[in-house]
Amino acid sequence: MTEDEICRIIAGVLPGKDVAPHMSLRNDLGVDSIGLMSIVFVLEEQTGIDTMSHIMEFTEAEYVHEIVGICLKAAS
């Protein structure tokens, strides 16, 4: 799993949005708490990582690169 793959998964949850690691989830992408949970569930489905074990980290994330880091850490 790579940073680009995770960004593509996130973009798939946010139709019409280009997603890059430096982007703010809230300000740049308009992600609210429900949108974040959608992203987390799709990441779990598509990557096989146990996102629920890292749910607090996901809810505290402000930027795409933080989501990427959580995913990469969980996958290792």
Side-chain angles (χ1 to χ4, degrees), residues 11-70:
V13 179
L14 306 170
K17 301 275 186 178
D18 291 324
V19 175
H22 69 275
M23 298 177 97
S24 164
L25 293 165
R26 184 177 321 241
N27 296 330
D28 295 327
L29 299 173
V31 174
D32 59 11
S33 58
I34 294 171
L36 180 61
M37 288 301 99
S38 297
I39 290 168
V40 169
F41 291 135
V42 170
L43 283 167
E44 184 168 72
E45 287 176 359
Q46 293 191 20
T47 66
I49 63 173
D50 179 13
T51 57
M52 291 302 112
S53 294
H54 302 277
I55 198 66
M56 289 305 295
E57 293 171 76
F58 282 113
T59 59
E60 293 171 356
E62 294 183 29
Y63 292 91
V64 173
H65 70 84
E66 293 174 278
I67 299 290
V68 170
I70 296 163

